[in-house]
Amino acid sequence: MLFATTTLAARIERADCSLLSESVRAVGRLRPEADVMVKPVGGGVATYSGEGSPLNKVAGLGFEGPVTEAQLAEVERLYADRHTPVQVELSCLADPAVGATLTSRGYQLVGFENVLGRELSTEGLTSYVMPPDVAITVSDDQDFATWLDTVVEGFATPDGRGVPSHESFPKDALERVMSDMAQTEGLVRYLAVREGEPAGGGSMRLSEGIAQLCGAATLPEHRRRGVQTALLARRLADAAHAGCDVAVVTTQPGSKSQENVQRRGFELLYTRAILVREPVGS
């Protein structure tokens, strides 16, 4: 059993901050006009990559001591200058003082997300048999458009199971952020083909021995056919062979995605509370 110590949680949160920061920096390289922001704060990071982006958030707080009122005030000002709410994703294993400070400053709880993980070893990943009609390949530049269309369409039509997300994004915003994140250094894209047709896609990034499984989606007509499980199995095998000892994934509570990964040995490590503060005067 993988137990979520605060040390492991801090390691996962650092990897998440790294992915978030590098994704936003990729946006800055691609679109200098986007006024991107990557600001360290309280052991975590505050990021902004453009109006309405899913990358506009504060992550990783509370693993290097309390966050000061002055630090939060500065972050709130930076988001207010961009006419954007401050969204904090706070681990339940972070310093409890952080949550108290946020609520005292008017942050409102709007939702939760679950972080699940499993230990990795090449010996423990040999039991899965790929469905005969599903193939998983690493996506290259030639099939990037196919990968992007597949993943965006899958995310744009959620499964509808479990607790609904507190936010939704138009298709063009999803396409933009997935395209931007695909340029992040170290991110590997995977395309699933079923019966000769694109069926799903996902991605993975390795950081500090942690395999971050992100960006996975299946087209509606190919769901319940083993595509997600095949994508998961391929990424786990690649991560284990690369020397990672832990794989993590973030899901909506009670979702089909959570059920899929738990069937493959993932366990709930911790929950993040999502707290939002609207810009003053909005």
Side-chain angles (χ1 to χ4, degrees):
M1 183 182 73
L2 182 61
F3 180 71
T5 63
T6 54
T7 300
L8 176 59
R11 188 174 157 210
I12 293 170
E13 293 293 296
R14 283 197 304 271
D16 194 59
C17 288
S18 174
L19 174 59
L20 188 58
S21 299
E22 290 306 313
S23 298
V24 172
R25 291 189 179 106
V27 176
R29 291 191 297 271
L30 293 167
R31 297 196 305 278
E33 75 282 0
D35 187 27
V36 302
M37 175 180 71
V38 178
K39 180 176 177 57
V41 54
V45 66
T47 57
Y48 175 88
S49 68
E51 183 179 356
S53 171
L55 301 180
N56 300 342
K57 62 178 69 175
V58 181
L61 296 182
F63 287 93
E64 293 186 7
V67 181
T68 68
E69 299 271 355
Q71 288 175 315
L72 287 173
E74 173 64 8
V75 166
E76 290 158 6
R77 183 189 66 78
L78 291 170
Y79 281 108
D81 288 347
R82 293 165 170 83
H83 309 288
T84 299
V86 188
Q87 176 170 304
V88 177
E89 298 179 354
L90 181 66
S91 168
C92 65
L93 294 176
D95 185 336
V98 177
T101 301
L102 292 172
T103 54
S104 72
R105 295 184 65 84
Y107 287 76
Q108 299 292 313
L109 178 65
V110 298
F112 298 94
E113 61 185 22
N114 287 338
V115 178
L116 298 99
R118 62 160 288 170
E119 292 182 319
L120 289 177
S121 69
T122 53
E123 293 79 9
L125 297 171
T126 57
S127 61
Y128 176 73
V129 177
M130 189 76 67
D133 58 348
V134 177
I136 309 296
T137 60
V138 173
S139 172
D140 58 22
D141 291 341
Q142 289 186 328
D143 62 16
F144 175 72
T146 299
W147 175 86
L148 182 62
D149 289 345
T150 302
V151 172
V152 169
E153 183 62 33
F155 273 112
T157 50
D159 192 84
R161 179 173 166 180
V163 178
S165 174
H166 73 286
E167 58 188 353
S168 61
F169 300 97
K171 202 169 180 179
D172 61 338
L174 288 172
E175 182 173 355
R176 184 171 61 251
V177 75
M178 296 304 298
S179 179
D180 292 339
M181 288 188 70
Q183 312 306 316
T184 302
E185 184 177 354
L187 193 81
V188 181
R189 306 185 303 270
Y190 293 83
L191 181 66
V193 175
R194 177 175 174 267
E195 297 181 342
E197 298 292 331
S203 57
M204 179 174 72
R205 183 173 182 266
L206 312 182
S207 177
E208 291 192 44
I210 291 176
Q212 298 169 279
L213 309 183
C214 45
T218 304
L219 295 177
E221 61 269 29
H222 293 284
R223 290 172 183 169
R224 314 294 191 268
R225 298 293 187 273
V227 173
Q228 273 293 351
T229 304
L231 278 166
L232 182 61
R234 170 62 188 273
R235 289 179 292 168
L236 291 177
D238 286 358
H241 285 293
C244 289
D245 63 318
V246 175
V248 296
V249 64
T250 302
T251 72
Q252 281 295 111
S255 63
K256 184 64 179 177
S257 293
Q258 179 173 341
E259 181 183 23
N260 285 340
V261 297
Q262 288 194 242
R263 284 177 173 172
R264 289 292 295 165
F266 281 74
E267 298 170 283
L268 178 61
L269 299 179
Y270 57 90
T271 296
R272 292 184 185 127
I274 302 172
L275 301 108
V276 172
R277 184 180 190 269
E278 296 294 332
V280 175
S282 64

